[in-house]
Amino acid sequence: FCTAWSVNQLRGLWVTAAHCIGDEGFIRGVAIQTVMVDLNLDIAVVAGPQVKALPLAIHAPRIGDAVVMVGYPFGFEQIISSGKVKLLCQVVEGEGVKTLFAGLAMGPGNSGGPILIGGRVVSVLQLGWNYGGFFGGTCYADMVRVLQPFTE
């Protein structure tokens, strides 16, 4: 299970994590067509149904920002998790720089889901982890720049 969200209503473009795209051509039972996949950033843009798009963030996350994550953990119906950014550290991985967030409860199925600040997407969840009750997630730090061309 994974999560996807609309980035462009008119073009029917959706975003998810690249590791969520399989050969079947479906995400959660919805038919899709792959538009762009970047395995280094673990991001994919797919064409699907036209639904209201989520706006992209204007600024990068800061420690203390209130964040909301939307997803389908463990295959459940839509779950909204909220918290504050408690940790931001950058790790160079391959060609990209990833930002580690902490403070959101997440699980398998949240991958590809939006992380929002003030109702705007600041990043996309790629990997969640739980270390002794300390929850976190890995997201690409400059996701808005990567996704901006698909909003036009």
Side-chain angles (χ1 to χ4, degrees):
F1 294 103
C2 283
T3 300
W5 52 276
S6 176
V7 70
N8 186 312
Q9 180 176 352
L10 291 176
R11 293 173 56 195
L13 296 180
W14 292 65
V15 174
T16 190
H19 73 265
C20 295
I21 302 297
D23 297 330
E24 300 86 24
F26 292 92
I27 294 179
R28 295 190 58 79
V30 176
I32 55 123
Q33 179 180 4
T34 303
V35 174
M36 182 276 290
V37 174
D38 187 323
L39 296 175
N40 285 330
L41 302 179
D42 192 19
I43 191 76
V45 175
V46 299
Q50 294 178 319
V51 299
K52 183 175 169 113
L54 294 173
L56 297 181
I58 298 168
H59 65 82
R62 296 179 292 248
I63 292 177
D65 281 348
V67 292
V68 173
M69 181 183 60
V70 181
Y72 298 87
F74 304 102
F76 294 128
E77 289 303 311
Q78 186 179 62
I79 302 291
I80 298 172
S81 174
S82 63
K84 291 194 182 276
V85 175
K86 296 180 182 172
L87 171 71
L88 287 174
C89 59
Q90 295 189 336
V91 179
V92 176
E93 184 177 286
E95 304 242 344
V97 176
K98 299 204 177 219
T99 299
L100 303 180
F101 289 85
L104 292 170
M106 58 195 72
N110 280 118
S111 292
I115 296 179
L116 304 117
I117 294 176
R120 294 180 168 270
V121 178
V122 69
S123 198
V124 179
L125 182 71
Q126 296 163 316
L127 173 70
W129 46 266
N130 177 351
Y131 183 74
F134 187 67
F135 296 98
T138 306
C139 312
Y140 181 59
D142 200 9
M143 193 60 72
V144 170
R145 180 187 57 80
V146 173
L147 296 176
Q148 188 64 44
F150 297 100
T151 66
E152 301 164 358

